[in-house]
Each structure stands twice: as structure tokens, then as C-alpha cells.
Amino acid sequence: GENVEQHPSTLSVQEGDSAVIKCTYSDSASNYFPWYKQELGKRPQLIIDIRSNVGEKKDQRIAVTLNKTAKHFSLHITETQPEDSAVYFCAASGSNDMRFGAGTRLTVKP
Amino acid sequence: ETGVTQTPRHLVMGMTNKKSLKCEQHLGHNAMYWYKQSAKKPLELMFVYNFKEQTENNSVPSRFSPECPNSSHLFLHLHTLQPEDSALYLCASSPGTSGRLGTGELFFGEGSRLTVL
């Protein structure tokens, strides 16, 4: 089955800096790669996703890149703000399920 | 309100108890999921139902028993649990599962925080 690894497990940046989180996956059949943000005590919510026919996608301060050959994808957050502080999960989905990485706790210091 | 409701939000039970977690979605989705979230671990997929049929059972112990009577409701029946089963149990739904499209976006409920004494 699919195995998703995520790094780093914790990340601390200064407000205004950029943050990058990286994930790798094992199943070449996976074709959908979402990123979820989970604030303390709240449910995970989708922030951006990318499908396997696209190499990069951007939405304001958030961007995701995908390298299908190397089986890795990354989340980039620019101009970070304190409200970006949360746990971020990457995931990979094939036909029937979605597997998640272990999560990255991002702290943005004001 | 995301359209996925879980009850109860908190549950404390002894190892010999029998209890159930309930999930309801009002989004017209055809696939529903149970995930277990423990501290410092990935979200662990437990069960997947697509059009009421179980399509995934991720080697979950038999003390967890899912039930999906229709596309809008999903239950997780709990019986003789262990303290290590204490975790946040998240229900999610998606439009459906498809080999070409994958699952699509998952919509999560708030979770049921389970403590096993």
C-alpha cells in the first residue's frame, strides 16, 4: 500500500519568512496530492491540492510542486503570518483511499 | 459547519464497555472514512466505504467494527478496547472514489475524542 513520509516534523520561522514542507510517496499509482491544515483543536481542512498531470499550482501565498518521477511533492508558504501556525499534513491518494504523512508543526513567530 | 457531524465529541469508556461513534454527512457524498489520530503519528486510515460497500479495511483489530447503513451515516462500534486505543477518531466524506480521479477532497468532522481507562 501507499506510504507517505513528511519532513520536517517541526518548523519554526520568523513572520515574513518562507516555509517549505516536503513529502515523498511510494505508490506510483497515486494521482491526487492534497495538503491539509489542522489548527489546534480543530478538524483538518484542505488548503491546496494538485493532481498528477500538473507540476505546480499556486494560490496566493501557498504553492505546491510535484515531481512524479522522484515521487515527491512540496508545500511552499511565502510571507508567513502568525495565523499560519498549525499542523500541516500532506497526503497521497490512489483509487480507493487517502494516506497521510505524519504532519509538520509550523510555528510562525511574530 | 462543514456538513460532517460526529457524536459524541468526547467519550470515556472502560475496557469492558461497548459504545458506538456516529458520523453523519449532509453533503451528498458517496464515500465515508474513519481515521484514527494519535499524538505524533500520521492520520491512520481505518475503514473506507464507497456507495455503502466497504472497500478498505486497513488491518484494524476486530474490537473496532464499522457499519454503514446508507451513504449518509457511518458508525464505529467499539468493544473491549485497550488504553492504547485512546485517540481522536475522525470521520470524513468525499464525493466518491474513482481509479482515475482518486478520492478527491476529504471533508472531516470535528472528531470524537476517545479515552479508554
CSV table of all heavy atoms in Angstrom, one decimal, chain B residues 7-8 10 16 21 34 44-45 49 52 60 77 83 94-95 99 113:
chain,number,residue,atom,x,y,z
B,7,THR,N,-20.7,12.5,16.6
B,7,THR,CA,-21.1,12.4,18.0
B,7,THR,C,-20.7,11.0,18.6
B,7,THR,O,-20.7,10.0,17.9
B,7,THR,CB,-22.7,12.5,18.1
B,7,THR,OG1,-23.3,11.6,17.3
B,7,THR,CG2,-23.1,13.9,17.7
B,8,PRO,N,-20.4,11.0,19.9
B,8,PRO,CA,-20.2,12.2,20.8
B,8,PRO,C,-18.9,12.8,20.5
B,8,PRO,O,-18.0,12.3,19.8
B,8,PRO,CB,-20.2,11.5,22.1
B,8,PRO,CG,-19.6,10.2,21.9
B,8,PRO,CD,-20.1,9.7,20.6
B,10,HIS,N,-16.8,13.7,22.9
B,10,HIS,CA,-15.9,13.2,23.9
B,10,HIS,C,-16.5,11.9,24.4
B,10,HIS,O,-17.8,11.9,24.7
B,10,HIS,CB,-15.6,14.1,25.0
B,10,HIS,CG,-15.0,15.4,24.6
B,10,HIS,ND1,-13.7,15.6,24.4
B,10,HIS,CD2,-15.6,16.6,24.2
B,10,HIS,CE1,-13.4,16.8,24.0
B,10,HIS,NE2,-14.5,17.4,23.9
B,16,THR,N,-14.2,-2.9,29.3
B,16,THR,CA,-15.2,-3.9,29.0
B,16,THR,C,-16.5,-3.3,28.4
B,16,THR,O,-17.4,-4.0,28.2
B,16,THR,CB,-15.5,-4.6,30.4
B,16,THR,OG1,-16.0,-3.6,31.3
B,16,THR,CG2,-14.3,-5.3,30.9
B,21,LEU,N,-19.5,5.2,18.0
B,21,LEU,CA,-19.3,6.6,17.5
B,21,LEU,C,-20.2,6.7,16.2
B,21,LEU,O,-20.3,5.8,15.4
B,21,LEU,CB,-17.8,6.8,17.1
B,21,LEU,CG,-16.8,6.6,18.2
B,21,LEU,CD1,-15.4,6.9,17.7
B,21,LEU,CD2,-17.1,7.4,19.4
B,34,TRP,N,-13.2,6.3,8.2
B,34,TRP,CA,-12.8,6.5,9.6
B,34,TRP,C,-11.2,6.6,9.6
B,34,TRP,O,-10.6,5.7,9.1
B,34,TRP,CB,-13.2,5.3,10.5
B,34,TRP,CG,-14.6,5.4,10.9
B,34,TRP,CD1,-15.6,4.5,10.6
B,34,TRP,CD2,-15.2,6.3,11.8
B,34,TRP,NE1,-16.8,4.8,11.2
B,34,TRP,CE2,-16.6,6.0,12.0
B,34,TRP,CE3,-14.8,7.5,12.5
B,34,TRP,CZ2,-17.5,6.7,12.8
B,34,TRP,CZ3,-15.6,8.2,13.3
B,34,TRP,CH2,-17.0,7.8,13.4
B,44,GLU,N,-4.2,7.7,10.7
B,44,GLU,CA,-4.2,6.3,10.2
B,44,GLU,C,-5.6,6.0,9.7
B,44,GLU,O,-6.6,6.1,10.4
B,44,GLU,CB,-4.0,5.4,11.5
B,44,GLU,CG,-2.6,5.6,12.1
B,44,GLU,CD,-2.5,4.8,13.4
B,44,GLU,OE1,-2.6,3.6,13.3
B,44,GLU,OE2,-2.3,5.4,14.5
B,45,LEU,N,-5.6,5.6,8.4
B,45,LEU,CA,-6.8,5.1,7.8
B,45,LEU,C,-7.3,3.8,8.4
B,45,LEU,O,-6.5,2.9,8.5
B,45,LEU,CB,-6.6,5.0,6.3
B,45,LEU,CG,-7.8,4.5,5.5
B,45,LEU,CD1,-8.9,5.5,5.5
B,45,LEU,CD2,-7.4,4.2,4.0
B,49,TYR,N,-15.7,3.3,3.1
B,49,TYR,CA,-16.9,2.8,2.5
B,49,TYR,C,-17.2,3.7,1.2
B,49,TYR,O,-17.2,4.9,1.3
B,49,TYR,CB,-18.1,2.9,3.4
B,49,TYR,CG,-18.2,1.8,4.4
B,49,TYR,CD1,-17.4,1.8,5.6
B,49,TYR,CD2,-19.0,0.7,4.2
B,49,TYR,CE1,-17.5,0.8,6.5
B,49,TYR,CE2,-19.1,-0.3,5.1
B,49,TYR,CZ,-18.3,-0.3,6.2
B,49,TYR,OH,-18.4,-1.3,7.1
B,52,LYS,N,-21.7,2.6,0.2
B,52,LYS,CA,-22.1,1.7,1.3
B,52,LYS,C,-21.3,0.4,1.3
B,52,LYS,O,-21.5,-0.4,2.2
B,52,LYS,CB,-23.6,1.4,1.2
B,52,LYS,CG,-24.5,2.6,1.4
B,52,LYS,CD,-26.0,2.2,1.5
B,52,LYS,CE,-26.5,1.4,0.2
B,52,LYS,NZ,-27.9,0.9,0.4
B,60,VAL,N,-7.4,-3.4,10.8
B,60,VAL,CA,-7.8,-2.9,12.1
B,60,VAL,C,-8.3,-4.0,12.9
B,60,VAL,O,-9.0,-4.9,12.5
B,60,VAL,CB,-9.0,-1.9,11.8
B,60,VAL,CG1,-9.5,-1.3,13.1
B,60,VAL,CG2,-8.6,-0.8,10.9
B,77,HIS,N,-18.4,0.9,15.9
B,77,HIS,CA,-18.8,0.2,17.2
B,77,HIS,C,-17.5,-0.2,17.9
B,77,HIS,O,-16.6,-0.8,17.3
B,77,HIS,CB,-19.7,-1.0,16.9
B,77,HIS,CG,-20.9,-0.7,16.1
B,77,HIS,ND1,-21.9,0.2,16.6
B,77,HIS,CD2,-21.4,-1.0,14.9
B,77,HIS,CE1,-22.8,0.4,15.7
B,77,HIS,NE2,-22.6,-0.4,14.7
B,83,PRO,N,-6.3,0.6,26.4
B,83,PRO,CA,-5.9,2.0,26.7
B,83,PRO,C,-5.2,2.7,25.5
B,83,PRO,O,-5.3,3.9,25.2
B,83,PRO,CB,-5.0,1.9,27.9
B,83,PRO,CG,-5.5,0.7,28.6
B,83,PRO,CD,-5.9,-0.2,27.6
B,94,SER,N,-16.2,12.0,1.1
B,94,SER,CA,-15.7,12.6,-0.2
B,94,SER,C,-16.8,12.2,-1.3
B,94,SER,O,-17.6,11.3,-1.0
B,94,SER,CB,-14.3,12.1,-0.6
B,94,SER,OG,-14.4,10.7,-1.0
B,95,PRO,N,-16.8,12.9,-2.4
B,95,PRO,CA,-17.8,12.6,-3.4
B,95,PRO,C,-17.9,11.2,-3.8
B,95,PRO,O,-18.9,10.6,-4.0
B,95,PRO,CB,-17.4,13.5,-4.6
B,95,PRO,CG,-16.7,14.7,-3.9
B,95,PRO,CD,-15.9,14.1,-2.8
B,99,GLY,N,-10.8,5.3,-9.7
B,99,GLY,CA,-9.5,5.0,-10.1
B,99,GLY,C,-8.8,6.1,-10.8
B,99,GLY,O,-7.6,6.3,-10.6
B,113,ARG,N,-13.2,12.4,20.6
B,113,ARG,CA,-12.0,12.2,21.5
B,113,ARG,C,-12.4,11.0,22.4
B,113,ARG,O,-13.2,11.1,23.2
B,113,ARG,CB,-11.7,13.5,22.2
B,113,ARG,CG,-10.6,13.3,23.3
B,113,ARG,CD,-9.3,13.2,22.7
B,113,ARG,NE,-8.9,14.4,22.0
B,113,ARG,CZ,-7.8,14.4,21.2
B,113,ARG,NH1,-6.9,13.4,21.2
B,113,ARG,NH2,-7.5,15.5,20.5
